[in-house]
Amino acid sequence: MKQGKRVYHIKAEIDPRCAMPIAARQLLLNAVGAVGQVVAVRPETDSPANTDRLELLLASPLSMEKVTAKCRIPTVIARAGVEPIKGKVSKKSAASENKPKEPNGISSEPIPKNTFTSAAEEYESRENLHLGAVAENILRVDAERIDNVLNLVGELIIGKSMLQQAFQELTKHSPKESMRGRVADAMAFQSRVLNDLQRSVMKIRMVPVEQLFRRFPRMVRDVAKQGGKEVDLIISGQDTDLDKSLLDAIAEPLTHLVRNAVGHGIENAAERARLGKPTRGTIRLDAYHQGNQVIVEIKDDGSGIDSQKVKSKALEKKIVSVDEAERLSEANIIALVFRPGFSTADEITELAGRGVGLDVVQSVLHRLKGTVEIETHPGQGTTFRLKLPLTLAIIKALLFRVEGRLYAIPLNAVAEIARAKESDLHQVDNYEVLQLRNQVLPLVRLGRPSAQPAQAAGKIFVLVITVSESKLGLIVEALEGEEELVIKALDDQTVSTDLVSGASILGDGRVVLILNLPAIVERYANSRPGQIGAVASGILLSHADRSQTHRPVVEAQP
C-alpha cells in the first residue's frame, strides 16, 4: 500500500461473559483506530445481528503482530485474528475464502469477504488519487522569484510607513479633517492585508532543515571510519522550517561542527571502554523553534572541552597574556576556541589541528545576526548551540539617536530600557559600569562623553540587551520609537566595520543603520581595558567621508 500502510482484515469474537457487547465493539474500534484508519466494519453499527462477532478492515503502518496486540483486550475480546489483504482478490479466490476455516483460533464461519476486498481496493484508489492530486498541486519555483516578491513586499512596507508619516502630519495640521477617520480605517485595513501577505511570502521561503540534515549520516560514517572510531548519529527536529537563504548559509558551519564533534569530541573505542562509556559514541543533531528563533544543536557524548588545556594553548599561541588569562572566567576561557588560529590538537591531521574553523563558524553566525554558544562538561560531552533568526528580511526594531545620528537594533534583543545620569556611572578597570538593581551591568557608550558639565548632569538612556546569555548596556542619547524595518544589505565599500549589519529606509526617506549586536558583544569581550572606546567609535558615521563620497561610511577611530 502507499505511504507505508498495509490493509489488514481483523476478525474479533467478543467475550460471551461481557455484559455490554455494544460497548465492547466500541472499545475495539477505539483501540485499532488509534493505530490506523478503519476502512470498513461488519456488521454495521445499527445492525442487531451478529453482535458477538466483529470484522474490520484497517489500514495501518504497523506490523501484523502489533495490530494483533492492539486487538487483544482482556475480558472484552475473547479471540482476535489479523491477516493482511494482498492485492486484488478474484471472485474464485473470494469464493474459496468464504468457506469455513479457523484462522488464529476463530472457528466461526466468516462473513463474506468480497465486500472487504472491494473496500480495500476503494481505499487504495483513494490514496493513489490523493497522492496524484498532491503531486499536481506542487509547483517548483526558482528562489530568485520568491526573493523578488519578498523585496516588493518590503517596498510596500516602506510605502506603508510613508503613508503613516503623511497621515500623522495631516492630523497635526488638520485635526478636524472630516476624511481623517475614513483614511485611518483604510490604512488599518491595508496594514492587516500587508501583514498577512508578508507572512505568506515568508512561509514560501521556509524549507525543512531535513534538506540539510540528510547529508550528515554518510559524512559521520566516513569521518568516523577515517579516524578509527565508532559513532552513531541521531537526528531529530528535521521538520523544523528555516529560511532557505539561512539554511544555505549555515551548511558549511554546521558541517564543520559535526566533523569537529567526530574528530575532537568522540574518543576512540578503547578510551571509551576504559572510561566506562559505550564503545560507540553518539552525536545528536537537533533543530527546534524557540520564540522567533531557530535553534540548531550539535551534541556529543565525548570528552568535553578541558578549560585548562584551552588556557595553556591560548598562552602558548600568545592569544592572551598571562594577566588576561588569570582574569578570565570559565566561560570566557571556553570562548577562546573561537579565536582565529586557535586549536587544541597536538598534531595536524586532515580532521584537526589546522586552527581554522570555529572562528569562521562564529563570523558566519554573526553575519546572519545569529549566535553560537558552547555548553561543555568534561568527560561527558559538548553541545554547540546555533541560534538563528527566522528570517533576515524584515525585523521589528528599536530606533535611537547617538550624536544626532539614527541607529536601530532588533527589538527582541532589548531586555529593558533604563534611565540614568552620568553621575550614576562608575569606572571599573577602565570599563564603564552601572549598578542596575542588584547587578553590575557593563556598558558600551555609543558616542563620546559630553564635555559640558550641564549636559553631563543630564539623563541618558541605557538599552539593556541580551546576546548569548550575556547582558550589556548600550548608552544612547535619545529614543525614536519602534519601527518595522526592511533590511538592505551593505557592501564592504559602503561600510568598513562588522558592527553594522545592514541599513533601512524610513517612511520619510531617512536612512537608518542596523547594528550587529553579536559583533558588538564579541568586540567588547575581546577588548582590553582602555580600548573599549574603539567598540563604540567604530560604529559612528563620519560626516566628512559622507560628504566626499556621497555615501555613508562607517569607520573605526583610534
Side-chain angles (χ1 to χ4, degrees), residues 295 339 410 525:
I295 313 297
R339 296 289 185 90

Side-chain angles (χ1 to χ4, degrees), residues 37 106 116 123 200 239 295 306 311 323 344 354 371 413 420 440 499 546:
Q37 178 182 351
I106 296 182
F116 282 98
Y123 173 79
S200 298
D239 294 332
I295 313 297
D306 187 346
K311 182 191 287 188
D323 292 339
T344 57
R354 301 179 185 276
T371 58
V440 176
L499 303 181
R546 284 185 66 185

Side-chain angles (χ1 to χ4, degrees), residues 70-283:
K70 277 289 182 181
C71 296
R72 292 170 180 165
I73 306 176
T75 71
V76 174
I77 303 299
R79 285 179 293 276
V82 179
E83 57 183 1
I85 294 180
K86 300 179 181 179
K88 299 182 178 180
V89 182
S90 64
K91 293 182 179 179
K92 182 177 180 180
S93 61
S96 63
E97 286 176 352
N98 287 339
K99 294 179 181 180
K101 55 183 178 179
E102 300 181 0
N104 298 318
I106 296 182
S107 58
S108 59
E109 182 177 343
I111 296 173
K113 202 171 184 179
N114 53 349
T115 56
F116 282 98
T117 304
S118 61
E121 294 173 1
E122 180 184 352
Y123 173 79
E124 185 168 7
S125 65
R126 286 203 312 267
E127 291 295 305
N128 291 335
L129 183 62
H130 173 70
L131 292 176
V134 170
E136 290 176 1
N137 288 333
I138 294 176
L139 298 177
R140 297 181 64 89
V141 180
D142 190 85
E144 186 178 354
R145 294 187 179 183
I146 300 175
D147 291 340
N148 290 337
V149 174
L150 185 62
N151 186 57
L152 292 174
V153 172
E155 298 299 323
L156 285 175
I157 291 175
I158 295 175
K160 180 185 74 171
S161 180
M162 294 172 64
L163 279 175
Q164 290 174 342
Q165 186 84 15
F167 182 72
Q168 290 173 1
E169 293 179 6
L170 175 65
T171 304
K172 186 187 299 182
H173 292 94
S174 304
K176 296 183 179 180
E177 172 62 49
S178 59
M179 294 291 291
R180 191 163 57 91
R182 293 178 61 184
V183 174
D185 292 341
M187 289 177 58
F189 175 75
Q190 180 216 38
S191 179
R192 288 196 301 271
V193 174
L194 187 55
N195 289 337
D196 292 342
L197 176 62
Q198 175 192 332
R199 283 193 293 268
S200 298
V201 176
M202 294 309 306
K203 286 181 180 178
I204 296 174
R205 286 169 57 99
M206 297 292 183
V207 294
V209 297
E210 190 268 338
Q211 293 187 12
L212 177 58
F213 282 6
R214 61 188 173 202
R215 72 174 65 177
F216 290 113
R218 182 174 180 178
M219 189 197 75
V220 168
R221 185 171 62 249
D222 294 343
V223 175
K225 184 178 180 181
Q226 184 179 351
K229 300 178 180 180
E230 299 177 2
V231 182
D232 290 328
L233 177 65
I234 300 176
I235 295 177
S236 57
Q238 52 266 56
D239 294 332
T240 304
D241 289 335
L242 184 61
D243 191 297
K244 180 67 166 62
S245 59
L246 283 171
L247 193 72
D248 295 338
I250 67 169
E252 185 176 347
L254 197 60
T255 299
H256 179 81
L257 290 175
V258 173
R259 290 175 63 91
N260 211 45
V262 180
H264 278 289
I266 302 295
E267 311 94 335
N268 58 44
E271 178 67 13
R272 292 179 66 87
R274 187 184 67 82
L275 296 172
K277 293 182 175 181
T279 56
R280 297 186 66 87
T282 301
I283 295 176

